[in-house]
Amino acid sequence: MIEMTPDKLEKLHQIELEMLIEVDRICRKNNINYTIIGGTLLGAVRNSGFIPWDDDADVAMLRPEYDKFVDALKTDLDTSKFYFQDMDNTDAYRWGYGKLRRKDTL
């Protein structure tokens, strides 16, 4: 288990922001509609940023938009920093949606 100190949480929030910026960049480039949801939306409205204890970012798309996004990742994702996991490209992946991951993180 990783102990989540305030400094580690702040670093995590910076990585999450970097990932959200990457999602936004790809979506804008490819005219893909998305929205933030859950704790990410709550934090943006209530805290003008992240909920202090939140440790993930939540993005949603309708299925046609998601399919366009997955296709766009093949050419537009900055693979020096990020990778994408889903049931099609990761053995034993158990979620019905994909996850953008930041390399060199836990």
Side-chain angles (χ1 to χ4, degrees):
M1 182 173 186
I2 298 173
E3 180 187 349
M4 195 54 72
T5 64
D7 286 344
K8 286 181 183 177
L9 195 55
E10 176 59 29
K11 287 179 184 178
L12 175 62
H13 288 164
Q14 291 306 310
I15 292 168
E16 289 173 3
L17 179 59
E18 180 184 30
M19 294 170 70
L20 288 167
I21 290 168
E22 179 70 354
V23 168
D24 183 67
R25 181 187 68 79
I26 292 168
C27 288
R28 286 177 187 268
K29 180 178 179 183
N30 293 280
N31 197 30
I32 298 168
N33 295 309
Y34 74 94
T35 188
I36 56 173
I37 62 171
T40 303
L41 178 58
L42 179 62
V45 173
R46 187 181 70 188
N47 300 77
S48 299
F50 290 97
I51 295 173
W53 56 87
D54 200 8
D55 64 354
D56 69 348
D58 307 301
V59 175
M61 301 170 189
L62 296 175
R63 179 55 63 171
E65 300 297 297
Y66 176 79
D67 292 340
K68 285 173 35 180
F69 180 72
V70 171
D71 194 46
L73 291 173
K74 296 172 186 169
T75 55
D76 295 328
L77 182 65
D78 180 355
T79 56
S80 71
K81 294 181 181 180
F82 307 102
Y83 64 100
F84 182 73
Q85 288 185 299
D86 67 7
M87 291 186 299
D88 293 331
N89 68 13
T90 306
D91 290 339
Y93 189 83
R94 61 184 181 158
W95 293 280
Y97 51 87
K99 291 188 178 194
L100 182 65
R101 306 281 193 172
R102 177 67 164 89
K103 291 182 176 179
D104 302 320
T105 62
L106 300 174

